[in-house]
Amino acid sequence: MYHQTKRKVHSLLHPEIVGDNHWDKAINIFIIILIILNVIGIMLETVDSIYLPHKKFFHDFDVFSVIIFTIEYILRVWSSNHDLRYQHKIHGRLRYMASPAALIDLFAILPFYIFLFLPAGIMTIGSDFRLLRILRLLRFFRLFRLTAYTKSTKLVLNVFKSRAHDLLLAFILTTFLVIITSCLVYFAEHDAQPEKFSSIPGTIYWAVTTLTTVGYGDIYPVTILGKIFTIAILFVGVALLALPAGIITSGFIDELRKTRKQKVCPHCGKPLTDHAEH
Amino acid sequence: MYHQTKRKVHSLLHPEIVGDNHWDKAINIFIIILIILNVIGIMLETVDSIYLPHKKFFHDFDVFSVIIFTIEYILRVWSSNHDLRYQHKIHGRLRYMASPAALIDLFAILPFYIFLFLPAGIMTIGSDFRLLRILRLLRFFRLFRLTAYTKSTKLVLNVFKSRAHDLLLAFILTTFLVIITSCLVYFAEHDAQPEKFSSIPGTIYWAVTTLTTVGYGDIYPVTILGKIFTIAILFVGVALLALPAGIITSGFIDELRKTRKQKVCPHCGKPLTDHAEH
Amino acid sequence: MYHQTKRKVHSLLHPEIVGDNHWDKAINIFIIILIILNVIGIMLETVDSIYLPHKKFFHDFDVFSVIIFTIEYILRVWSSNHDLRYQHKIHGRLRYMASPAALIDLFAILPFYIFLFLPAGIMTIGSDFRLLRILRLLRFFRLFRLTAYTKSTKLVLNVFKSRAHDLLLAFILTTFLVIITSCLVYFAEHDAQPEKFSSIPGTIYWAVTTLTTVGYGDIYPVTILGKIFTIAILFVGVALLALPAGIITSGFIDELRKTRKQKVCPHCGKPLTDHAEH
Amino acid sequence: MYHQTKRKVHSLLHPEIVGDNHWDKAINIFIIILIILNVIGIMLETVDSIYLPHKKFFHDFDVFSVIIFTIEYILRVWSSNHDLRYQHKIHGRLRYMASPAALIDLFAILPFYIFLFLPAGIMTIGSDFRLLRILRLLRFFRLFRLTAYTKSTKLVLNVFKSRAHDLLLAFILTTFLVIITSCLVYFAEHDAQPEKFSSIPGTIYWAVTTLTTVGYGDIYPVTILGKIFTIAILFVGVALLALPAGIITSGFIDELRKTRKQKVCPHCGKPLTDHAEH
């Protein structure tokens, strides 16, 4: 009976192992919606015109969410040793609590309790607690678990994994170009605009926003040399930005081929393993 | 005789079932040009220097268009039960009227009649009617029907359909990145620029215009932390923006292969079905 | 003797039919360099700090160029009936003169003679002659002839030709999105920024610079509704901009496959035509 | 003994020929970290708030680095004739010193000695020596040697090499478009904004930042004609910018196919050479 309940609780709380009955689905969807509402809530709290008139509502919703998430967390830890990886009664559960997923869950509710038990005097000190509250956003990361089991995620992950070295090289080349660009344009522009191109590290911000073609327009070259460098760098940059696109696209096409091949031979329609014999 | 006329009218009004004789083509081209002129007209009405001196002309053209489109709409409804899907005399026609295509047609001419039968006093209230007038732009959507039957549209639709899950994942990942970006940069920039980075939802606008590399320059980071976040996010963003390109390109290549395969075997030139037997 | 000279002149003036001897090459390279110098000259004439002190040099260089180009043009027309397409003595040459390539050559030197024979009084009227002078830039188009015969140009042209329908559809879809965007954002922003979003056609400029992610920052949305529309449109725009990349890339891969196939069978190394028989 | 030492030194200083023992690795990693720290140091020297209070530290670190790099350079030159290409005692070493890699090494440490032996009076003249100091950044290029031997670099280099002609054509086409764009927009905008669109070469900067979709917003069209040109050019530009992406992607896919083919036949799993015989 005890173990059956635990098994039940365990499957209830793991949305990725979708149960067949409506009860499982309902709980999972409820948790997902609560997570999404929490994220929206945290974002809306920063809009004064919405937050100030509904301060109490936001607070109540936060209390309600934390209670639900705390219950969920306790049940998760309790039922964790149903999982074969965390089988031991105490060690298993502690190891589960140390897993990244469980830590995210814990940190997502922790700020609430810190605020609750800290003396009010300290709380008013203020702005540093803001960062603590942002920890609540960690709730959002739990949604990743949902997407983590779809076919598309596996495909995208496979593409990034199989192309990791090529993408790293593209990243290194871009870093090289960014640093070289920053140095050249710094020396071209520093005297003309000492405030905007104040230092090489400061120019890196300009170089990155230019090479990625964002181009805010808060910093731009005014000297002829600076403009010529910018033009030259943008031409190189276009080819360099085409690299990740090319790498990722060829990765997708490669994954596609693998999937197709595992199913049937493209020439006679038989499975590939049979085909090799004819 | 009656049925023949209806069949004739039905085929006349469906540009996608292109009739062979010149009469069909002429009517269809006339309707298409009228739609395009209507869209141009609606756009030009907002240019005061063009609209004000030719107010009467614009009005007359609108009346003329609505008369044509009303006649067309009535004939469409009348002849709709020629179509097997809407065969019943009354129910069929009503079901046709409830179809998206017919509703677009109706809403595109409705604003004119609302203005016509409303007392002039209400009309002068003004600005809210503007939105009603914009409904006339729905006429433009009717042009979609034209493109909807070409080979290219089928290809593009197939690509988007077969890659829907992957594109959805790319969309979700981008949304995740946008929200995380907005929170981080909001906390980095809010104190320095409380008006520009006023709230997290407000920062989302900045995050989207930055990640898509638009970068208007109305909002940009000024703190060192904000700039470092921006640089980090742009590097991730470049890889993330390469995802849809990779997904769609691999989709195109896949569709291409399918089309090619259905015609001939790439190895011996025979049709694929014959090929499997040799 | 006369015909041999004409043949010689004809081959001399057609850089694409590259002669083997050094004489041919030298003349062609001289003409090419003169064209490039002319284009650079026309551009530099607009830089006051360079043009004003060297007015005479620019003029002399222009006279020298026009003399060379006029001689070249006359020799081209004279030798044109060596070409089988323009065989007839008078009609052939006239038809050659009406060909786009010859018209470009003519229009490129014509402005000089118009200035020469027009009374000086008219010339000082001024600014309208500027456009006439710009005709000299047509000389630049002659360089296209050089690239027109390389393998890469054929590849790129084949890609664009074979994908013309798909690219046209992508263009139409983008046009649709631009118009819809312009209307929505016009109605959202017109009241808040009547000068920047003054009319729908005026908003089209904003929509195009936004969707292509240029984002100058001269016009940007300030209302919440306008910002939400911008965000939504940018997400759609990213997928839409990936379309031409996908279409062109799949075109390149397709062309690649064709080239490869024409040479050898990828499976046994024999030419494809032989292969079909085994 | 002497030769063995030289061989040892030679292998120690060539990170690409990674030795197996820990000693080799430790020295190489030390040199790499020193190079990276040097680059970071040079960049931080331009940040006044960091440089001014730690002037002595930066100077000491520079002296320390130059001593290490000088020792390394001398050892490299001394051991260079271990390499078969530079076998001769004197000529070989001189030829090694003239190789690009050795010149980069030399120029990277030279500025230090120039400052050291120049009279202090000349040094204070100032700003021109800045460019000399930037030569120290050449140390950074030495990192290229590290990436130059990875599989990814070979892949990327192969892609760029095999597509060099196509990329060159894309570059030429873009240059054509940039020049044509600059001329058209110059004539449309010069009268309205004589300072921003001051000359055609000046407009080229605008054209490049627009076509690459950077769009700083320091220069933008204000006339209707200028805006129409911009819209037209951006549409062409989107297709043109998709070219390098398409070229590079098709290059990656081609390289992929070659690699795959050299291993096994995709149809029967045997190596390709065997396959041809069955």
Side-chain angles (χ1 to χ4, degrees):
Chain A
M1 215 348 250
Y2 171 82
H3 277 283
Q4 238 175 336
T5 315
K6 191 154 71 181
R7 196 183 53 75
K8 186 75 202 143
V9 166
H10 187 261
S11 76
L12 269 177
L13 295 170
H14 286 81
E16 62 274 15
I17 320 163
V18 179
D20 286 330
N21 66 54
H22 294 302
W23 208 219
D24 287 24
K25 277 187 190 162
I27 287 185
N28 281 330
I29 289 168
F30 170 71
I31 295 278
I32 291 163
I33 289 170
L34 198 64
I35 293 171
I36 292 171
L37 287 177
N38 260 270
V39 172
I40 294 172
I42 293 162
M43 293 199 291
L44 289 183
E45 273 183 34
T46 63
V47 186
D48 284 347
S49 62
I50 293 172
Y51 177 61
L52 295 180
H54 307 91
K55 228 170 176 171
K56 209 188 128 40
F57 173 80
F58 277 101
H59 182 256
D60 291 352
F61 179 68
D62 198 31
V63 173
F64 170 73
S65 304
V66 168
I67 290 169
I68 300 285
F69 289 140
T70 309
I71 294 168
E72 195 210 358
Y73 180 72
I74 291 166
L75 287 176
R76 266 180 195 278
V77 172
W78 172 66
S79 69
S80 67
N81 68 343
H82 175 78
D83 192 316
L84 288 173
R85 288 171 298 170
Y86 309 114
Q87 233 171 353
H88 192 275
K89 226 174 169 179
I90 297 161
H91 286 291
R93 278 172 179 151
L94 282 174
R95 267 192 14 250
Y96 172 76
M97 284 171 76
S99 70
L103 283 175
I104 285 176
D105 286 4
L106 182 63
F107 285 132
I109 53 173
L110 218 60
F112 179 84
Y113 293 105
I114 292 171
F115 281 107
L116 206 68
F117 297 115
L118 274 182
I122 294 174
M123 275 184 70
T124 52
I125 296 170
S127 68
D128 291 87
F129 285 94
R130 237 183 173 159
L131 270 165
L132 208 63
R133 297 195 81 176
I134 207 76
L135 275 176
R136 290 191 292 157
L137 269 169
L138 286 170
R139 289 170 197 167
F140 193 46
F141 282 96
R142 297 177 53 189
L143 285 179
F144 273 112
R145 248 185 276 170
L146 281 178
T147 60
Y149 293 84
T150 66
K151 234 172 143 184
S152 291
T153 313
K154 267 176 209 154
L155 174 65
V156 169
L157 274 183
N158 276 345
V159 167
F160 276 103
K161 263 185 211 162
S162 69
R163 297 289 173 259
H165 282 280
D166 302 347
L167 285 172
L168 186 70
L169 181 76
F171 175 78
I172 291 171
L173 286 179
T174 311
T175 308
F176 278 11
L177 185 63
V178 162
I179 290 178
I180 293 160
T181 300
S182 300
C183 294
L184 290 177
V185 175
Y186 168 75
F187 280 96
E189 292 287 328
H190 179 65
D191 291 331
Q193 304 186 86
E195 265 167 53
K196 294 207 166 169
F197 293 88
S198 61
S199 66
I200 295 179
T203 311
I204 283 175
Y205 163 75
W206 169 83
V208 171
T209 52
T210 296
L211 277 174
T212 55
T213 76
V214 173
Y216 287 123
D218 50 345
I219 313 175
Y220 50 83
V222 295
T223 65
I224 289 174
L225 201 64
K227 286 182 178 184
I228 289 170
F229 281 151
T230 306
I231 289 171
I233 287 149
L234 280 173
F235 270 105
V236 180
V238 163
L240 215 57
L241 277 184
L243 266 189
I247 291 165
I248 287 172
T249 305
S250 76
F252 269 106
I253 289 160
D254 214 32
E255 286 300 316
L256 214 82
R257 196 191 322 264
K258 278 181 204 159
T259 327
R260 212 182 314 111
K261 220 166 263 169
Q262 281 159 10
K263 284 174 197 159
V264 292
C265 161
H267 301 122
C268 64
K270 291 180 193 170
L272 193 67
T273 38
D274 294 2
H275 182 65
E277 292 146 30
H278 80 115
Chain B
M1 213 350 247
Y2 171 82
H3 278 283
Q4 236 175 337
T5 314
K6 191 154 72 181
R7 197 183 52 75
K8 187 73 204 147
V9 166
H10 187 261
S11 77
L12 268 176
L13 296 170
H14 286 81
E16 61 274 14
I17 320 163
V18 179
D20 286 328
N21 66 55
H22 294 301
W23 207 221
D24 287 25
K25 278 186 188 161
I27 287 186
N28 281 330
I29 289 168
F30 171 70
I31 295 279
I32 291 163
I33 289 170
L34 198 64
I35 292 171
I36 292 171
L37 287 178
N38 260 270
V39 171
I40 294 171
I42 293 162
M43 293 199 291
L44 290 183
E45 273 184 32
T46 63
V47 186
D48 284 348
S49 61
I50 293 172
Y51 178 61
L52 295 180
H54 307 91
K55 228 167 175 172
K56 208 186 129 44
F57 173 79
F58 276 100
H59 182 256
D60 291 351
F61 179 67
D62 198 32
V63 172
F64 170 72
S65 304
V66 167
I67 290 168
I68 300 285
F69 289 140
T70 309
I71 293 167
E72 194 209 0
Y73 179 72
I74 291 165
L75 286 175
R76 265 180 196 278
V77 172
W78 172 64
S79 70
S80 67
N81 68 343
H82 176 77
D83 191 316
L84 288 173
R85 287 171 299 169
Y86 310 112
Q87 231 170 355
H88 191 276
K89 226 173 169 181
I90 297 163
H91 286 290
R93 278 172 180 152
L94 283 175
R95 268 194 9 252
Y96 171 77
M97 285 171 77
S99 70
L103 282 175
I104 285 176
D105 286 2
L106 182 63
F107 285 131
I109 53 172
L110 218 59
F112 179 84
Y113 292 105
I114 292 171
F115 281 108
L116 207 68
F117 297 115
L118 273 181
I122 294 174
M123 276 184 72
T124 52
I125 296 172
S127 68
D128 292 86
F129 284 95
R130 237 184 171 157
L131 272 164
L132 207 65
R133 295 195 81 177
I134 207 75
L135 275 176
R136 290 191 292 156
L137 270 169
L138 287 169
R139 290 170 196 167
F140 193 46
F141 281 96
R142 297 177 52 189
L143 285 179
F144 273 111
R145 249 185 277 170
L146 280 179
T147 60
Y149 293 85
T150 66
K151 233 171 144 185
S152 291
T153 313
K154 266 177 209 154
L155 174 65
V156 169
L157 274 183
N158 275 346
V159 167
F160 276 103
K161 264 185 211 162
S162 69
R163 298 287 174 261
H165 283 280
D166 302 347
L167 285 171
L168 187 70
L169 181 76
F171 175 78
I172 290 171
L173 286 178
T174 311
T175 308
F176 278 12
L177 185 63
V178 162
I179 290 178
I180 293 159
T181 300
S182 300
C183 293
L184 291 176
V185 175
Y186 168 75
F187 280 96
E189 292 287 329
H190 179 65
D191 291 331
Q193 303 187 87
E195 264 167 54
K196 293 206 167 168
F197 293 89
S198 61
S199 65
I200 295 179
T203 310
I204 284 175
Y205 163 74
W206 169 83
V208 171
T209 53
T210 296
L211 278 174
T212 55
T213 77
V214 172
Y216 287 123
D218 51 344
I219 313 176
Y220 51 82
V222 295
T223 66
I224 290 174
L225 201 65
K227 285 183 179 184
I228 289 170
F229 281 151
T230 306
I231 290 171
I233 286 150
L234 280 173
F235 270 104
V236 180
V238 163
L240 215 58
L241 276 183
L243 266 189
I247 291 165
I248 286 171
T249 305
S250 76
F252 268 107
I253 289 161
D254 214 33
E255 287 300 316
L256 215 80
R257 196 191 323 264
K258 279 182 204 159
T259 327
R260 213 183 314 111
K261 218 166 266 168
Q262 280 160 8
K263 283 173 197 157
V264 291
C265 162
H267 301 121
C268 65
K270 292 179 192 170
L272 192 67
T273 37
D274 293 2
H275 182 64
E277 292 148 30
H278 79 115
Chain C
M1 219 339 255
Y2 170 82
H3 278 283
Q4 237 173 337
T5 315
K6 190 155 71 181
R7 198 184 52 77
K8 187 74 203 145
V9 166
H10 187 261
S11 77
L12 269 176
L13 295 169
H14 286 80
E16 61 275 13
I17 321 164
V18 180
D20 287 328
N21 67 54
H22 295 301
W23 207 219
D24 288 23
K25 277 187 191 162
I27 288 187
N28 281 330
I29 289 168
F30 171 71
I31 296 278
I32 291 163
I33 289 171
L34 198 64
I35 293 171
I36 293 172
L37 287 177
N38 261 270
V39 172
I40 293 172
I42 294 162
M43 294 200 289
L44 289 183
E45 272 184 35
T46 63
V47 187
D48 284 348
S49 62
I50 294 173
Y51 178 61
L52 295 180
H54 306 91
K55 229 167 173 171
K56 208 188 128 44
F57 174 79
F58 277 100
H59 182 256
D60 291 351
F61 179 68
D62 198 33
V63 172
F64 170 73
S65 304
V66 167
I67 290 168
I68 300 286
F69 290 138
T70 309
I71 293 167
E72 194 209 0
Y73 180 73
I74 290 165
L75 287 175
R76 266 180 196 278
V77 173
W78 171 64
S79 70
S80 67
N81 68 344
H82 175 78
D83 191 316
L84 289 173
R85 287 171 299 169
Y86 310 112
Q87 233 169 353
H88 191 276
K89 226 175 170 181
I90 298 163
H91 285 290
R93 278 171 179 152
L94 283 174
R95 266 191 16 249
Y96 171 76
M97 285 171 76
S99 71
L103 283 176
I104 285 176
D105 286 2
L106 182 63
F107 285 132
I109 52 173
L110 217 58
F112 179 83
Y113 293 105
I114 292 172
F115 281 108
L116 207 69
F117 297 114
L118 272 181
I122 294 175
M123 274 183 73
T124 51
I125 297 173
S127 68
D128 292 87
F129 284 95
R130 241 189 168 152
L131 271 165
L132 208 63
R133 296 195 82 176
I134 207 74
L135 274 176
R136 290 192 292 157
L137 270 168
L138 285 170
R139 290 170 195 167
F140 193 45
F141 282 96
R142 297 178 51 188
L143 285 179
F144 273 112
R145 248 185 277 171
L146 281 178
T147 60
Y149 293 84
T150 65
K151 233 172 145 185
S152 292
T153 313
K154 265 176 209 155
L155 174 65
V156 169
L157 273 184
N158 275 346
V159 167
F160 276 104
K161 262 185 213 162
S162 69
R163 298 286 173 262
H165 283 279
D166 302 348
L167 285 172
L168 186 70
L169 182 75
F171 175 78
I172 291 171
L173 286 179
T174 311
T175 309
F176 277 12
L177 185 63
V178 162
I179 290 178
I180 293 160
T181 300
S182 301
C183 294
L184 290 176
V185 175
Y186 168 75
F187 280 96
E189 293 287 329
H190 179 65
D191 291 331
Q193 302 187 87
E195 264 167 54
K196 293 206 166 167
F197 294 89
S198 61
S199 65
I200 295 180
T203 310
I204 283 176
Y205 163 74
W206 168 84
V208 171
T209 53
T210 295
L211 277 174
T212 55
T213 77
V214 172
Y216 287 123
D218 51 344
I219 314 177
Y220 50 83
V222 294
T223 65
I224 290 174
L225 201 64
K227 286 182 178 183
I228 290 170
F229 281 151
T230 306
I231 290 171
I233 286 150
L234 280 173
F235 270 104
V236 180
V238 164
L240 216 57
L241 276 184
L243 266 188
I247 291 165
I248 286 171
T249 306
S250 76
F252 268 106
I253 289 161
D254 214 34
E255 286 301 315
L256 215 80
R257 195 191 325 264
K258 279 182 203 158
T259 326
R260 214 183 312 110
K261 218 166 267 166
Q262 281 161 9
K263 285 172 196 159
V264 292
C265 162
H267 301 123
C268 64
K270 293 179 192 170
L272 194 67
T273 37
D274 294 2
H275 183 63
E277 291 147 33
H278 79 113
Chain D
M1 216 344 252
Y2 170 82
H3 277 283
Q4 236 174 337
T5 315
K6 190 155 70 180
R7 197 183 52 77
K8 186 75 205 142
V9 166
H10 187 261
S11 77
L12 268 176
L13 295 169
H14 286 81
E16 61 274 14
I17 319 164
V18 179
D20 285 331
N21 67 55
H22 295 300
W23 208 218
D24 287 24
K25 278 186 190 163
I27 288 187
N28 281 330
I29 288 168
F30 171 70
I31 295 278
I32 290 163
I33 290 170
L34 198 64
I35 293 170
I36 292 171
L37 287 177
N38 261 270
V39 172
I40 294 172
I42 293 162
M43 293 200 289
L44 289 182
E45 273 184 34
T46 63
V47 187
D48 284 347
S49 61
I50 293 173
Y51 178 61
L52 295 180
H54 307 92
K55 227 167 174 171
K56 211 188 126 43
F57 174 80
F58 276 101
H59 182 255
D60 291 352
F61 179 68
D62 198 32
V63 172
F64 170 73
S65 305
V66 168
I67 290 169
I68 300 284
F69 290 140
T70 309
I71 294 168
E72 195 209 359
Y73 180 73
I74 290 165
L75 286 176
R76 265 180 196 279
V77 172
W78 171 64
S79 69
S80 67
N81 68 344
H82 175 77
D83 192 316
L84 289 173
R85 287 172 298 170
Y86 309 113
Q87 234 169 350
H88 191 275
K89 225 174 170 182
I90 297 162
H91 285 291
R93 277 173 180 152
L94 282 174
R95 267 191 16 248
Y96 172 76
M97 284 171 77
S99 70
L103 283 175
I104 285 176
D105 286 2
L106 183 64
F107 285 132
I109 52 174
L110 217 59
F112 178 84
Y113 293 105
I114 292 172
F115 280 108
L116 207 69
F117 297 115
L118 274 181
I122 294 174
M123 274 183 74
T124 51
I125 297 171
S127 68
D128 292 86
F129 284 94
R130 240 187 169 152
L131 270 165
L132 207 63
R133 297 196 80 178
I134 207 76
L135 275 176
R136 290 192 291 155
L137 269 169
L138 286 169
R139 290 170 196 168
F140 194 47
F141 282 96
R142 297 177 52 189
L143 285 179
F144 273 112
R145 249 185 276 171
L146 281 179
T147 60
Y149 293 84
T150 66
K151 234 172 143 184
S152 291
T153 313
K154 267 177 209 153
L155 174 65
V156 169
L157 274 184
N158 276 346
V159 167
F160 276 103
K161 263 184 213 161
S162 69
R163 298 286 174 261
H165 282 280
D166 302 348
L167 285 172
L168 187 70
L169 181 75
F171 176 77
I172 291 171
L173 286 179
T174 311
T175 308
F176 278 12
L177 186 62
V178 162
I179 290 178
I180 293 159
T181 300
S182 300
C183 294
L184 290 176
V185 175
Y186 169 75
F187 280 96
E189 292 287 328
H190 179 66
D191 291 330
Q193 303 186 87
E195 265 168 53
K196 294 207 166 168
F197 293 90
S198 61
S199 65
I200 295 179
T203 311
I204 283 175
Y205 163 74
W206 170 84
V208 171
T209 53
T210 296
L211 277 175
T212 54
T213 77
V214 172
Y216 287 123
D218 50 345
I219 314 176
Y220 50 83
V222 295
T223 64
I224 289 173
L225 202 64
K227 287 183 178 185
I228 289 170
F229 281 151
T230 306
I231 290 171
I233 286 150
L234 280 173
F235 270 104
V236 180
V238 164
L240 216 57
L241 276 184
L243 266 189
I247 291 165
I248 287 172
T249 305
S250 76
F252 269 106
I253 289 161
D254 214 32
E255 286 300 318
L256 215 81
R257 197 192 322 263
K258 278 181 203 158
T259 327
R260 213 182 313 112
K261 218 166 264 168
Q262 281 160 8
K263 284 173 198 160
V264 291
C265 161
H267 301 122
C268 64
K270 291 180 193 169
L272 194 68
T273 38
D274 294 1
H275 183 64
E277 292 146 31
H278 80 116

